[in-house]
Amino acid sequence: EGGRGSTTGRRRNRLRNGLVIAEVALALVLLSGAGLLIKSFARLQNVNPGFNPRNALTFEISLPKMQYSDDASIVRFNNEAQRRIAALPGVEAAGFSTILPLAGTNSDSSFAIEGRTSDKKSPSPDEERREVSPDYFRALQTPLIRGRFFRDADNADAPLVIIVNQAFAKKFWPNEDALGKRIVMGSMSKDPKWTTIVGIVGDIRHFGLDIDPKPEMYVPFAQSAYFTTIYVVRSNQDPRIVFSAIRREIQTIDPAVPLANVRTFENVIGDSVAPRRLSVVLLGVFAGVAVLLASVGIYGVMSFLVVQRTHELGVRMALGAQRSDVLKLVLGRSLKLISAGTIIGLIVTLMSTHTLRALLYSVSAFDTATFALVTVLLGAIALAASYLPAMRATRADPMVVLGHNT
């Protein structure tokens, strides 16, 4: 590799040192990004979705339009299916809806509020709408804030009623009680069919755990039937155990009706955060590889430094240098490389983490705690990688070293 005075040796040393600094800087950038994503993902997992996903099973039923051509037949089938499922051993509650939370689908409807005019400057509002069964919120364990849930009596012959969430009530009646207020679906007419708000429920995060709940209104399924329904069955045990019994009950009603998209609600939540989980895993793997490369690079450079300076270290120890002095000398060189890489890495990190903002939830792209933690972690790993060569240098016998070099 060249003598101690060789220009080529010095250039190669600079190249090695530069590569180590670059490895440390890159590892710090990747570790910081991974740390931010992990912290964000952990906070996302603790978000309250507005329902209890544990021990809840979901599945979809689509009734053939030829056999179930009118609302009455659709309502009869689903009411009977819900009744049979709720009566099964181990089932605590069963309900159904036209749209499942976190499933990636939506439906909205325009409406007019009693006593409020609309024109081109202030058009009729348009918000999310779902058709649900009376026991749907009980199956989800979504809390009732005020009023009541739907009843079996809220059928096609009964007065039109609706349940709204807290976000809906706060948006349209911020300083009033929304309970008892009336709206009309669609636009206002001379003879409006008023729909009365009979209940206010807690907010459900329908569009994602990282998206704030939107105003939503819930209509009794019996007053607005649809041929596709999604059931929620809550059990006091693993809900998959009762699925075979649920299938038998549905086939008893109509053997031609299939059950599709059978999942636990925990799987539904898992699927909704899958892209974020993939980002965490990928960046975590890259960060781990970068840390490994940086550690190997530091170990190699320090090992080479010890070999290169064997004679010098032997002279120092022969002249009275203690093992601790040699250890400090080698680790000090390593610390300089680590510090240089850390400073460069922090600068690059601060310049680049804004690109992760779209993937972060409730975490700043410049989270000081995360940066401090990954810096300390990387520094500790890097110093550990340089500790072995340093210890090897302190164990050398100065007489053997000097005799070998004479």
Side-chain angles (χ1 to χ4, degrees):
E1 292 294 332
R4 281 173 286 173
S6 172
T7 302
T8 303
R10 287 197 296 270
R11 287 178 179 174
R12 290 182 177 177
N13 282 339
R14 292 193 191 101
L15 178 60
R16 292 189 187 94
N17 294 344
L19 289 175
V20 170
I21 291 172
E23 287 172 344
V24 172
L26 178 61
L28 184 61
V29 172
L30 292 175
L31 268 179
S32 298
L36 290 173
L37 289 179
I38 291 172
K39 188 173 183 178
S40 172
F41 190 74
R43 291 189 175 180
L44 193 64
Q45 293 291 89
N46 293 325
V47 169
N48 179 13
F51 57 87
N52 181 10
R54 292 179 60 84
N55 293 335
L57 182 75
T58 77
F59 57 88
E60 183 178 315
I61 291 179
S62 292
L63 299 177
K65 294 182 180 180
M66 293 294 293
Q67 296 173 251
Y68 299 88
S69 57
D70 58 2
D71 289 355
S73 60
I74 295 174
V75 171
R76 279 197 302 272
F77 175 91
N78 283 285
N79 285 346
E80 179 65 13
Q82 189 271 337
R83 184 189 66 79
R84 287 173 174 265
I85 293 172
L88 290 173
V91 173
E92 296 179 343
F96 55 87
S97 171
T98 51
I99 294 181
L100 190 71
L102 303 177
T105 56
N106 72 299
S107 175
D108 54 12
S109 178
S110 61
F111 59 94
I113 301 175
E114 183 180 20
R116 301 183 189 180
T117 59
S118 60
D119 50 36
K120 293 182 179 181
K121 294 183 179 180
S122 56
S124 298
D126 186 279
E127 300 296 349
E128 296 297 320
R129 168 176 168 157
R130 291 90 175 84
E131 289 76 20
V132 303
S133 69
D135 283 338
Y136 175 70
F137 295 111
R138 295 187 183 93
L140 285 181
Q141 291 188 354
T142 297
L144 177 67
I145 308 302
R146 288 178 58 81
R148 65 174 177 85
F149 289 135
F150 293 138
R151 303 166 181 159
D152 293 336
D154 296 320
N155 53 37
D157 299 324
L160 300 178
V161 293
I162 192 174
I163 291 175
V164 300
N165 67 348
Q166 286 178 293
F168 190 101
K170 290 178 181 178
K171 179 177 180 178
F172 296 104
W173 294 277
N175 301 314
E176 302 177 61
D177 185 2
L179 203 63
K181 295 293 191 294
R182 299 198 302 177
I183 65 173
V184 59
M185 294 297 177
S187 57
M188 189 69 71
S189 62
K190 293 182 179 180
D191 185 22
K193 295 182 178 179
W194 294 111
T195 301
T196 305
I197 298 176
V198 296
I200 302 173
V201 295
D203 293 331
I204 296 176
R205 294 177 181 260
H206 270 276
F207 295 93
L209 296 179
D210 57 339
I211 300 176
D212 292 335
K214 296 185 178 181
E216 293 173 349
M217 45 190 173
Y218 302 90
V219 178
F221 185 82
Q223 294 184 354
S224 181
Y226 192 65
F227 67 93
T228 298
T229 51
I230 304 174
Y231 279 72
V232 178
V233 179
R234 180 166 300 281
S235 174
N236 56 16
Q237 54 188 331
D238 187 339
R240 290 170 291 191
I241 297 176
V242 301
F243 178 68
S244 57
I246 293 173
R247 186 188 295 275
R248 285 196 301 270
E249 294 297 334
I250 299 298
Q251 291 177 341
T252 300
I253 303 172
D254 189 341
V257 174
L259 278 65
N261 295 331
V262 181
R263 297 181 291 173
T264 65
F265 233 126
E266 291 176 326
N267 287 340
V268 173
I269 291 181
D271 292 342
S272 72
V273 298
R276 289 180 177 272
R277 184 187 299 111
L278 179 61
S279 299
V280 171
V281 172
L282 288 178
L283 196 54
V285 170
F286 291 149
V289 172
V291 171
L292 178 62
L293 290 176
S295 301
V296 172
I298 290 174
Y299 176 82
V301 168
M302 291 301 104
S303 295
F304 181 75
L305 175 67
V306 169
V307 172
Q308 197 176 42
R309 302 178 67 177
T310 298
H311 183 74
E312 174 195 343
L313 296 176
V315 171
R316 288 176 180 272
M317 295 178 70
L319 294 175
Q322 301 298 314
R323 294 181 184 273
S324 60
D325 298 324
V326 175
L327 187 65
K328 290 177 182 178
L329 179 66
V330 178
L331 289 181
R333 176 69 177 274
S334 176
L335 188 60
K336 289 180 181 179
L337 298 179
I338 296 170
S339 300
T342 300
I343 293 172
I344 295 174
L346 285 174
I347 294 173
V348 175
T349 297
L350 292 173
M351 295 172 60
S352 61
T353 50
H354 68 276
T355 59
L356 293 176
R357 284 177 179 169
L359 298 176
L360 299 179
Y361 174 78
S362 191
V363 174
S364 170
F366 305 100
D367 188 68
T368 305
T370 300
F371 292 164
L373 178 62
V374 298
T375 299
V376 171
L377 176 63
L378 180 60
I381 294 174
L383 283 176
S386 60
Y387 183 75
L388 291 178
M391 286 300 297
R392 188 163 60 246
T394 63
R395 295 192 182 109
D397 187 337
M399 299 307 297
V400 174
V401 171
L402 294 175
H404 176 74
N405 285 275
T406 57

